[in-house]
Amino acid sequence: MISKRFVIKRLLLLVPVLFGVATFVFAILHLAPGDPARVIAGQRASEEFVRQVRTELGLNDPIWVQYGRFLLEAVQLEFGNSYQIQKGTPVKQILRYKLPVTLEMALYGQFLGILFGIPVGLLGAIKQDAISDHVTRIGALAGISVPIYWSGPLLILLFAQVLGWFPASGRIASTFDINPITGVITFDTLVRGNFAAFESAAMHLFLPAAVIGIYSMALISRMMRSSMLEVIRQDYMRTARAKGQGSKITILKHGFRNALIPVVTVIGIQFGTLLGGAVLTETVFGIAGIGTLLVSAIQVGDYPVVQGTVLMFAGLFTLVNLLVDVTYSYLDPRIEQ
Amino acid sequence: MTSNDTSVSRRSLLKAAGGAAASASVAGYLETDTEEAQQQGGGTLTFARGNDSGTLDPQNTTSGEDVKVTNQIYDRLIEFRPGTSELIAGLATEWNLEGQQTTVTLREGVTFHNGDEFTADDFIATYRRFTDSNYEYYPGDDYVSSYGPFTLGNWVDSIEKNGDYEMTIQLQQRYAPFLRNLAMFASSVLSEQAIQERGTDLSTNPMGTGPFVFENWDQGNQRIRLSANDDYWGEGPNVDEVVFTAVGSNTTRAQTLVSGGADIIDGLGAQSAQIVEGAQQAELLETEGINIGYMAFNMARVEAFRDKRVRQAISYAINTEAIVNTIYRGIAVQASQPIPSNLFGYNEELDPYPHDPEQAQQLLNDAGYGDGFTFELATFQNPRAYNPSPIQAAQTVKSNLSEVGITVNINQQPFNPFLNYTSTGKHDACFLGWMTDNADPDNFYYALLHPGVSQDQVPQGQDWVSWDTEGFNTLDVAAWANTEFMDVTEQAQRTYNQQERADLYKQAAQIAHEEAPWVFIDHAKELRGVGNNVQNFVVAPIGGPFLKQVSLSN
């Protein structure tokens, strides 16, 4: 089973990883041309005014002083206040608002992907080379190949503009005024017992989750199929069959768990990509998550927001990977040694 | 004429036709909204834009996105008449600008959203918080925006109150655009009590005298909710609630409007405008914007640009008509001078430089540059209202100029480093543009083409100055310093008679056109998508959006 030592060792590894990421982000930001003080001051400001702002922000200090200050704050999980995106608001607070938005969307998308991807992959493996197998394989290939910035607008065009079944953007109709508890809107509306609002939130979430889901389903089903095919040909499966366990369902019982290992890897890596790919989905569907936050922060040179967001991404990604490893050792106890 | 006329005619056309098909589809689309509206009376008006606000404090921002919201919550002493650049009474009922003094009579019986009465003390506190670093409640240099000095600080000497409802504002010099500065968003009137009690919290918890009261800001959903101010002193509001939402992609925003998820949208490009135009559930309103897009020659840096004939030659060589019609796809009009035709002082006698490569070549030959030369054109990468496709436009310039032997190297940057680059004079030539602050020609001529130095600082026989000249205005990215032009614009700034001022600006336009420190490219239109259920919405080139007069039909 999972040893504490294993988890602790992995958690300790987080430290150098995050330190590396922090240094890298800091360096990139400060090497890039542009002056956040100019952005804050705006096109109309005089040079003198810009200088004043720069001093106030501590941007005139030597670079190593700024770096030290940044590390010292980051260790305490403080990332300073936003320069521009949400002026003066602590970055921690901004992330607190934005993270649930992205996570909710990514989780629902991933959920749809797993829900459909695994059965489709299994079906393909069991009925290899049947018509259904070809159809799902071609479908999966299409799912992987079609970029979100193309499939997203297409879905909006069809389901929102032409058919009017789903809303085109946002997370909930503007008539609903939901005071956030967790920020996960489908959860908050349910807790508050506002079912009309929940329905609106679910309808809003459907298209973006579907876009993410299609992509993730395609990847998962392909991996599931090939991994299952491999397992089916293993000796122990043949033995099971030789013992008379002919039913495919029984074989799945033995084979499925083993075949899952590479699929779990894909799901884990996929989740990281989902967070990154959220930029596109969020932009297309007008959803205010981490992705769009990061892009606009980079555009205006909002250093504290960029630093905080990237570090959080790095942390999340490492944690998900840890989770994947832990799941491995559950699926196959040999992995830990 | 204006788009409003077209929109009315389209609406009445629909009515007249009684088009069964059209009304059926509209009814289907309105169904849910109607239910809401019946429950709530005036209904919820949803305004979708490209970005969420960064702050709700008008003294804390230079961003037009933020202003859309603060303009609903706050009033100004003087306001713009919706859809025009004309001034009308706001919190001031009368004003008089004479010499270096403005007297203002304030409206009585106006209350802030907390019930406190508005008096002269509130305006004085507002002014001091914005410009006076010795004021006890001054929020700090990194908090107040550069509009502090730009709008009030550079011009106002002192403000005295005579009783609660009268003030005398002493100016540092004669300054004709001053009343317009009072109508700018940055001059929004804050409550003295809120200044004292809320400090910088006003950036998330605003309180003014405006038609709408701040309710909440749901940052996870980029949504700002305002409710109707039932005690509003003026006309309106006619809806119960206004919700500002943000949808980053222009196309998705247009689709949101068409599918009923928003009532009014802005920030449309050519493609998204087409979606709105083609939809039955919404219409596209437009009006000429008060802005300019141009290419500036940095005369301090490139010797060839110091010859007027070279600048004119380039103006002839660049096909601005093609840029405006093909690249900007008709969401802008060609420019012949720094200001658009809807501002006073517009010179009707000037036409845009025609595309004439032969004339250009001739001028270059005369100037001794017949074999051409090379320069770098700096441009920002992302669309701006006055330049929706900067890279493509830059490529057109490059190919146009290659026809007359001039080699252009394009240097493209994100807007932030780009501004830094141009404001320190590192460009040979650059694309840039301007959206007006106060709808005064001075805000173009003096702000962008006057070097900010005195005439005797300009070396004899030279019509440019170097970037390190003491007091140089870095917005003059051409480094142009034509003393005749400077003289005219300085005079216009001090002239209070409107007709005389207009004549001076016509003269300034003539000089700018002839001397060509810029290639005048375009004035972008203001486009809005408006749902059929929205009534009384006017596209405003300055101020607004004016939502207090809008109502929603069932």
Side-chain angles (χ1 to χ4, degrees):
Chain A
M1 279 314 291
I2 316 139
S3 77
K4 265 189 203 148
R5 209 172 135 232
F6 171 72
V7 175
I8 291 173
K9 206 170 84 188
R10 291 298 303 266
L11 280 177
L12 281 178
L13 264 177
L14 262 178
V15 176
V17 168
L18 289 181
F19 175 77
V21 171
T23 308
F24 185 70
V25 180
F26 183 88
I28 289 270
L29 279 179
H30 287 261
L31 285 176
D35 179 359
R38 171 50 77 180
V39 181
I40 294 172
Q43 195 178 349
R44 285 136 175 88
S46 62
E47 268 308 304
E48 190 202 342
F49 192 90
V50 176
R51 255 197 310 277
Q52 265 173 27
V53 174
R54 214 176 284 140
T55 314
E56 289 266 337
L57 292 177
L59 291 171
N60 278 338
D61 297 338
I63 195 88
W64 52 269
V65 172
Q66 294 185 49
Y67 179 60
R69 200 164 45 213
F70 161 61
L71 282 187
L72 214 66
E73 283 179 358
V75 169
Q76 307 164 51
L77 292 180
E78 289 293 340
F79 305 106
N81 296 345
S82 160
Y83 290 168
Q84 183 74 8
I85 301 279
Q86 221 101 79
K87 272 191 181 175
T89 312
V91 172
K92 229 165 48 177
Q93 195 184 327
I94 299 177
L95 293 178
R96 163 77 192 75
Y97 285 123
K98 302 277 184 186
L99 183 62
V101 176
T102 303
L103 278 185
E104 182 179 34
M105 193 178 68
L107 282 175
Y108 277 97
Q110 187 73 302
F111 175 74
L112 285 180
I114 295 172
L115 189 71
F116 292 102
I118 290 185
V120 164
L122 280 180
L123 199 74
I126 295 169
K127 301 201 168 190
Q128 194 189 357
D129 291 332
I131 299 271
S132 63
D133 183 30
H134 291 306
V135 171
T136 49
R137 269 166 60 202
I138 292 170
L141 192 66
I144 295 173
S145 317
V146 174
I148 286 174
Y149 55 81
W150 192 73
S151 61
L154 222 58
L155 285 184
I156 296 179
L157 179 66
L158 179 63
F159 289 108
Q161 200 179 328
V162 176
L163 296 173
W165 293 353
F166 294 100
S169 68
R171 298 175 74 212
I172 192 165
S174 55
T175 37
F176 296 107
D177 186 8
I178 297 296
N179 190 12
I181 309 167
T182 57
V184 177
I185 202 159
T186 46
F187 177 81
D188 290 357
T189 46
L190 274 186
V191 168
R192 298 222 183 262
N194 190 341
F195 294 105
F198 173 76
E199 195 198 329
S200 170
M203 295 296 273
H204 278 80
L205 199 57
F206 185 79
L207 285 185
V211 167
I212 293 176
I214 291 170
Y215 182 75
S216 146
M217 179 182 101
L219 219 60
I220 291 173
S221 73
R222 279 182 70 91
M223 189 48 86
M224 188 72 232
R225 178 179 175 276
S226 60
S227 156
M228 194 66 210
L229 278 177
E230 210 169 287
V231 169
I232 282 176
R233 297 192 184 111
Q234 296 275 317
D235 288 350
Y236 70 89
M237 295 295 283
R238 204 174 48 212
T239 312
R241 266 200 300 273
K243 273 164 62 189
Q245 288 182 318
S247 146
K248 276 171 180 152
I249 301 299
T250 320
I251 291 175
L252 284 185
K253 230 169 118 182
H254 292 276
F256 183 55
R257 198 160 139 176
N258 283 307
L260 262 186
I261 292 180
V263 178
V264 169
T265 317
V266 168
I267 293 176
I269 294 173
Q270 174 69 17
F271 192 72
T273 330
L274 280 189
L275 289 176
V279 176
L280 286 177
T281 322
E282 285 172 8
T283 310
V284 170
F285 289 96
I287 290 171
I290 295 287
T292 40
L293 174 76
L294 185 59
V295 171
S296 33
I298 291 172
Q299 274 169 359
V300 299
D302 197 330
Y303 292 172
V305 173
V306 179
Q307 286 162 347
T309 311
V310 171
L311 276 179
M312 195 199 59
F313 262 130
L316 263 181
F317 197 78
T318 339
L319 282 179
V320 169
N321 268 321
L322 174 62
L323 209 67
V324 168
D325 288 353
V326 170
T327 319
Y328 280 170
S329 55
Y330 165 77
L331 289 171
D332 182 353
R334 284 170 305 177
I335 281 181
E336 219 183 297
Q337 299 124 33
Chain B
M1 249 265 300
T2 68
S3 55
N4 290 320
D5 299 357
T6 20
S7 75
V8 168
S9 67
R10 190 180 152 193
R11 202 171 262 159
S12 44
L13 193 76
L14 276 178
K15 266 187 201 154
S23 52
S25 71
V26 170
Y29 144 79
L30 281 175
E31 218 162 56
T32 46
D33 273 9
T34 318
E35 266 176 37
E36 275 315 318
Q38 275 166 355
Q39 281 166 14
Q40 305 183 358
T44 300
L45 175 74
T46 307
F47 189 108
R49 56 210 177 118
N51 276 300
D52 198 16
S53 288
T55 177
L56 300 176
D57 184 344
Q59 298 190 341
N60 181 218
T61 183
T62 56
S63 147
E65 212 63 79
D66 297 341
V67 172
K68 292 168 194 167
V69 179
T70 59
N71 276 353
Q72 315 304 322
I73 301 170
Y74 291 98
D75 289 316
R76 285 126 310 266
L77 294 183
I78 302 173
E79 302 277 355
F80 292 105
R81 185 183 296 284
T84 71
S85 55
E86 199 185 316
L87 297 180
I88 56 172
L91 292 179
T93 52
E94 278 173 53
W95 53 85
N96 181 28
L97 175 60
E98 240 185 80
Q100 285 176 229
Q101 190 171 303
T102 313
T103 48
V104 182
T105 311
L106 301 179
R107 195 179 288 279
E108 295 183 33
V110 174
T111 54
F112 283 97
H113 298 153
N114 66 351
D116 285 356
E117 202 168 327
F118 156 72
T119 67
D121 289 326
D122 294 303
F123 183 78
I124 293 172
T126 300
Y127 161 72
R128 293 196 64 192
R129 178 181 189 258
F130 210 1
T131 58
D132 181 359
S133 54
N134 297 321
Y135 182 48
E136 196 182 344
Y137 301 102
Y138 181 72
D141 286 341
D142 64 335
Y143 184 87
V144 294
S145 80
S146 50
Y147 276 105
F150 199 81
T151 314
L152 299 170
N154 290 346
W155 316 107
V156 174
D157 188 45
S158 66
I159 304 182
E160 300 289 331
K161 65 167 186 168
N162 330 311
D164 277 348
Y165 299 103
E166 222 168 89
M167 298 186 302
T168 308
I169 304 175
Q170 200 66 43
L171 301 181
Q172 296 173 12
Q173 63 184 75
R174 286 175 69 91
Y175 181 58
F178 184 65
L179 295 174
R180 291 186 168 274
N181 281 8
L182 291 181
M184 267 175 64
F185 76 90
S187 302
S188 291
V189 180
L190 278 51
S191 132
E192 183 178 21
Q193 196 197 350
I195 287 173
Q196 293 173 358
E197 286 172 4
R198 300 190 190 182
T200 54
D201 284 348
L202 277 171
S203 64
T204 51
N205 188 13
M207 187 193 68
T209 57
F212 291 96
V213 181
F214 173 70
E215 286 295 326
N216 58 53
W217 185 1
D218 177 357
Q219 299 185 340
N221 290 316
Q222 299 195 329
R223 188 166 285 185
I224 297 170
R225 188 175 298 270
L226 313 175
S227 64
N229 174 8
D230 295 331
D231 298 324
Y232 186 56
W233 56 267
E235 218 177 301
N238 302 322
V239 294
D240 292 332
E241 273 190 323
V242 170
V243 175
F244 281 91
T245 67
V247 180
S249 146
N250 290 357
T251 316
T252 312
R253 202 176 323 117
Q255 286 166 326
T256 303
L257 170 77
V258 171
S259 60
D263 301 307
I264 303 175
I265 61 170
D266 64 6
L268 292 165
Q271 201 181 352
S272 43
Q274 268 172 6
I275 296 179
V276 176
E277 229 171 357
Q280 287 185 330
Q281 302 92 327
E283 58 187 326
L284 186 71
L285 302 186
E286 59 172 59
T287 189
E288 192 179 350
I290 307 181
N291 56 54
I292 173 82
Y294 56 86
M295 180 180 118
F297 302 105
N298 185 354
M299 295 177 214
R301 196 174 153 94
V302 179
E303 207 182 323
F305 292 157
R306 293 174 195 162
D307 190 322
K308 172 166 107 178
R309 289 168 297 188
V310 172
R311 304 194 297 264
Q312 286 174 335
I314 293 177
S315 299
Y316 278 118
I318 296 177
N319 191 347
T320 50
E321 192 180 353
I323 292 178
V324 169
N325 291 336
T326 326
I327 301 181
Y328 301 170
R329 289 199 269 175
I331 60 175
V333 295
Q334 246 185 301
S336 62
Q337 55 194 294
I339 61 169
S341 65
N342 52 355
L343 274 197
F344 73 91
Y346 177 78
N347 191 331
E348 270 126 18
E349 283 158 23
L350 300 173
D351 288 320
Y353 276 86
H355 177 52
D356 189 346
E358 279 167 28
Q359 173 80 1
Q361 191 62 60
Q362 187 59 49
L363 283 163
L364 286 174
N365 291 344
D366 294 350
Y369 288 97
D371 296 333
F373 60 100
T374 303
F375 72 88
E376 178 200 88
L377 171 61
T379 177
F380 41 94
Q381 293 163 327
N382 294 338
R384 314 273 308 163
Y386 44 73
N387 187 343
S389 310
I391 307 289
Q392 268 181 291
Q395 276 155 356
T396 306
V397 169
K398 185 184 169 100
S399 88
N400 285 162
L401 292 187
S402 74
E403 286 168 26
V404 291
I406 299 176
T407 311
V408 176
N409 298 316
I410 300 171
N411 174 358
Q412 41 168 302
Q413 305 177 16
F415 196 62
N416 162 28
F418 170 81
L419 267 191
N420 227 20
Y421 193 75
T422 54
S423 69
T424 45
K426 297 198 179 78
H427 58 288
D428 290 345
C430 68
F431 276 158
L432 204 56
W434 185 257
M435 288 173 275
T436 190
D437 297 303
N438 59 5
D440 193 292
D442 176 78
N443 187 237
F444 289 83
Y445 285 106
Y446 194 84
L448 306 176
L449 286 165
H450 191 290
V453 303
S454 69
Q455 289 179 36
D456 41 279
Q457 273 175 286
V458 182
Q460 199 71 40
Q462 184 174 311
D463 63 354
W464 54 275
V465 287
S466 77
W467 285 70
D468 44 27
T469 312
E470 176 76 26
F472 178 70
N473 165 22
T474 55
L475 282 174
D476 178 12
V477 288
W480 193 44
N482 179 303
T483 45
E484 188 193 354
F485 176 87
M486 286 163 72
D487 198 47
V488 173
T489 48
E490 285 164 23
Q491 257 187 65
Q493 196 176 68
R494 293 190 303 262
T495 303
Y496 289 168
N497 179 304
Q498 182 84 353
Q499 191 52 51
E500 283 173 32
R501 271 195 94 198
D503 289 342
L504 285 166
Y505 283 124
K506 283 180 187 173
Q507 219 177 311
Q510 173 67 47
I511 302 170
H513 182 86
E514 167 71 20
E515 295 288 327
W518 298 345
V519 177
F520 303 100
I521 302 177
D522 72 311
H523 305 293
K525 293 177 187 169
E526 297 277 352
L527 305 176
R528 307 285 183 271
V530 179
N532 289 349
N533 57 328
V534 174
Q535 288 171 343
N536 250 335
F537 179 73
V538 174
V539 188
I542 177 91
F546 295 94
L547 302 181
K548 63 179 177 184
Q549 61 193 42
V550 170
S551 57
L552 295 169
S553 66
N554 291 340

